[in-house]
């Protein structure tokens, strides 16, 4: 009789453990699947619907031509335009700003940025990251998929005849900013980067998503991240390193890329201490701005935001001088690591995905 009770107890325990494991797995998958928010608003100015490909999946977006057509060519050189190479900027090419939204958002949610930029003479490209808005879904979205999407958006932008390829900037909100920063060591061909309310540490991303989902940090915070990274084929140990700071420092060894990072003191979702963390780690220092607004998506409401952003972009993007040399990827990566993180095969990505643990002790402290 005792053996039978032990057998029944063992089977019951195994069933409960299996059910618990399944529940935790389903919770992790749900937390890693951003809620699809419809694209309910459209630009108030003339725009074009666009589509491009990122990692084999379709990305939906908008291209807003500049309201100002610039003539960058000396009239005396007009006769020479017929000999101009097609890869060069046209006489009326415009500076471009690419706007990248955050996790669980879409392009219509970042329309709040475009009016001042458009009025200032910039063309604008905005898109839905994969698994967001109207773009194709992906099984396990992450900061790395945001990174790959911004790289693909740049590829598409460089094909637009209206755009001056020498004058492109990026403004990324929250996870869109993080994806942009992670793309810097790939030789991102832009003249300036602005981030708004960007998470800089894995712990902050974790806490924010748990808060959004109403999940308790204990004991879920010790289990769910491992499921996230298993599904994304990314090493949790590597991702937990200060890869944001490493990306900035590694990229700026090659070129003096202007970076402006903005955060609101009233952001309770991604706290302003994230920007303070970056400020204490990057070398040389970057430009920063703290604004006083409430919420995670309201920095632009502070008048200091545009008072800082527009002159910054005018100096580094709109009136940028041609580069002396093209940006190149800073480091290489093995084929094993390339397959592991599903990066674009034709790009030469950074090697810190493989060696970050060795480099972090010297780069990030």
């Amino acid at each position: 009789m005792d053996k039978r009770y032990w057998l029944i107890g063992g089977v019951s325990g195994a069933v409960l453990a299996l059910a618990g494991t399944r529940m935790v797995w389903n919770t992790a998958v749900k937390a890693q699947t951003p809620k699809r928010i419809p694209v309910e608003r459209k630009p108030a100015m003339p725009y074009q619907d666009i589509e491009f490909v990122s990692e084999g999946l379709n990305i939906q977006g908008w291209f807003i031509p500049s309201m100002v057509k610039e003539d960058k060519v000396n009239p005396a050189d007009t006769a020479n335009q017929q000999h101009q190479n097609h890869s060069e900027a046209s006489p009326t090419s415009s500076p471009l700003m690419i706007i990248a939204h955050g996790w669980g958002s879409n392009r219509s949610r970042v329309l709040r940025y475009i009016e001042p930029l458009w009025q200032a003479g910039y063309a604008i490209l905005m898109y839905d990251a994969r698994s967001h808005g109207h773009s194709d879904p992906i099984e396990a979205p992450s900061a790395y998929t945001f990174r790959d999407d911004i790289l693909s958006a740049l590829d598409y932008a460089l094909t637009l005849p209206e755009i001056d390829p020498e004058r492109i900037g990026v403004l990324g909100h929250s996870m869109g900013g993080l994806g942009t920063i992670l793309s810097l060591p790939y030789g991102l061909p832009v003249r300036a980067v602005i981030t708004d309310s960007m998470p800089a540490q894995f712990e902050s991303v974790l806490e924010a998503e748990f808060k959004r989902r109403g999940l308790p940090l204990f004991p879920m915070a010790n289990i769910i991240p491992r499921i996230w990274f298993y599904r994304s084929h990314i090493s949790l140990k590597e991702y937990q390193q200060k890869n944001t700071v490493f990306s900035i420092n590694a990229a700026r060894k090659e070129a003096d890329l202007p970076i402006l990072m903005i955060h609101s003191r009233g952001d309770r979702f991604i706290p302003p201490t994230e920007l303070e963390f970056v400020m204490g780690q990057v070398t040389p220092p970057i430009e920063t701005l703290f604004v006083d607004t409430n919420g995670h998506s309201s920095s632009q409401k502070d008048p200091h935001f545009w008072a800082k952003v527009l002159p910054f972009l005018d100096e580094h993007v709109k009136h940028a001088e041609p580069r002396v040399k093209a940006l190149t990827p800073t480091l290489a990566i093995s084929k094993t690591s390339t397959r592991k993180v599903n990066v674009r095969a034709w790009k030469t990505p950074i090697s810190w995905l493989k060696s970050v643990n060795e480099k972090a002790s010297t780069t990030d402290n």
Side-chain angles (χ1 to χ4, degrees):
M1 182 70 77
D2 290 341
K3 291 183 179 180
R4 186 169 59 187
Y5 284 145
W6 277 108
L7 179 61
I8 293 173
V11 171
S12 299
V15 170
L16 290 174
L18 182 61
T21 301
R22 184 66 179 176
M23 181 190 70
V24 173
W25 179 273
N26 290 341
T27 300
V29 171
K30 184 177 180 181
Q32 199 177 16
T33 305
K35 182 180 179 181
R36 285 274 189 172
I37 299 177
V39 177
E40 298 177 331
R41 297 175 54 218
K42 296 182 179 180
M45 61 284 293
Y47 70 94
Q48 303 166 14
D49 291 314
I50 62 171
E51 181 177 289
F52 57 91
V53 175
S54 178
E55 297 296 310
L57 298 176
N58 291 328
I59 298 287
Q60 305 294 325
W62 295 316
F63 172 65
I64 304 172
S66 169
M67 69 177 297
V68 179
K69 295 299 182 182
E70 298 185 12
D71 188 354
K72 294 185 61 184
V73 178
N74 189 312
D77 297 330
T78 303
N80 295 327
Q81 287 303 314
Q82 58 183 338
H83 303 296
Q84 186 180 34
N85 188 290
H86 290 294
S87 64
E88 299 176 356
S90 69
T92 57
S93 58
S94 304
L96 173 72
M97 285 300 299
I98 298 177
I99 300 179
H101 65 75
W103 184 269
S105 185
N106 63 44
R107 60 192 135 134
S108 68
R109 291 294 192 91
V110 286
L111 284 171
R112 62 185 184 272
Y113 293 119
I114 70 172
E115 183 68 28
L117 295 172
W118 189 67
Q119 292 286 351
Y122 295 90
I124 299 167
L125 190 153
M126 45 205 318
Y127 62 94
D128 298 330
R130 283 173 290 168
S131 288
H132 293 75
H134 295 167
S135 293
D136 286 349
I138 189 172
E139 181 181 8
S142 69
Y144 292 119
T145 62
F146 273 76
R147 174 203 66 191
D148 293 341
D149 290 346
I150 190 67
L151 288 168
S152 297
L154 258 295
D155 287 344
Y156 176 80
L158 292 172
T159 69
L160 297 172
E162 305 96 327
I163 296 308
D164 183 350
E166 286 284 340
R167 296 187 296 158
I168 300 177
V170 178
L171 192 165
H173 175 252
S174 194
M175 188 66 79
L178 177 56
T180 301
I181 292 298
L182 293 178
S183 70
L184 294 183
Y186 287 72
L188 192 70
V190 299
R191 304 311 295 265
V193 167
I194 299 175
T195 68
D196 180 12
S197 307
M198 185 195 81
Q201 303 173 88
F202 172 74
E203 291 80 2
S204 298
V205 175
L206 180 66
E207 290 177 10
E209 190 57 27
F210 273 44
K211 184 186 299 183
R212 187 203 304 266
R213 300 281 180 173
L215 298 173
L217 280 175
F218 182 83
M220 293 294 192
N222 294 321
I223 304 172
I224 286 182
R226 287 171 169 78
I227 299 176
W228 288 352
F229 286 93
Y230 174 81
R231 297 180 72 239
S232 300
H233 309 290
I234 301 170
S235 165
L236 174 60
K237 184 177 181 180
E238 291 170 353
Y239 193 91
Q240 284 177 320
Q241 301 296 325
K242 306 177 184 70
N243 49 26
T244 305
V245 172
F246 185 90
S247 295
I248 295 173
N249 288 343
R252 294 167 85 218
K253 289 179 182 178
E254 286 289 310
D256 184 21
L257 178 67
I259 299 175
L260 169 60
M261 305 187 82
I262 303 171
H263 218 111
S264 175
R265 295 185 179 93
D267 190 342
R268 299 292 179 262
F269 189 66
I270 300 295
T273 51
E274 290 297 278
L275 179 50
E276 295 172 359
F277 167 80
V278 174
M279 291 170 62
Q281 298 289 324
V282 296
T283 305
I286 57 174
E287 293 194 51
T288 60
L289 173 67
F290 288 97
V291 296
D292 292 300
T293 58
N294 293 321
H296 182 55
S297 305
S298 59
S299 297
Q300 81 291 343
K301 294 180 180 179
D302 189 312
H304 294 94
F305 182 95
W306 293 112
K308 179 72 172 182
V309 165
L310 292 178
F312 175 83
L313 292 176
D314 281 353
E315 177 183 358
H316 299 298
V317 178
K318 192 174 185 179
H319 303 302
E321 296 294 330
R323 288 190 179 98
V324 175
K325 68 172 185 176
L327 289 177
T328 57
T330 57
L331 298 169
I333 193 170
S334 69
K335 291 182 179 179
T336 301
S337 295
T338 299
R339 183 174 63 255
K340 182 178 181 181
V341 300
N342 191 31
V343 297
R344 294 138 42 120
W346 62 270
K347 286 283 184 182
T348 307
I350 52 177
S351 64
W352 65 262
L353 291 170
K354 184 177 180 181
S355 62
V356 65
N357 294 323
E358 293 78 14
K359 291 182 177 292
S361 59
T362 58
T363 305
D364 299 332
N365 296 324

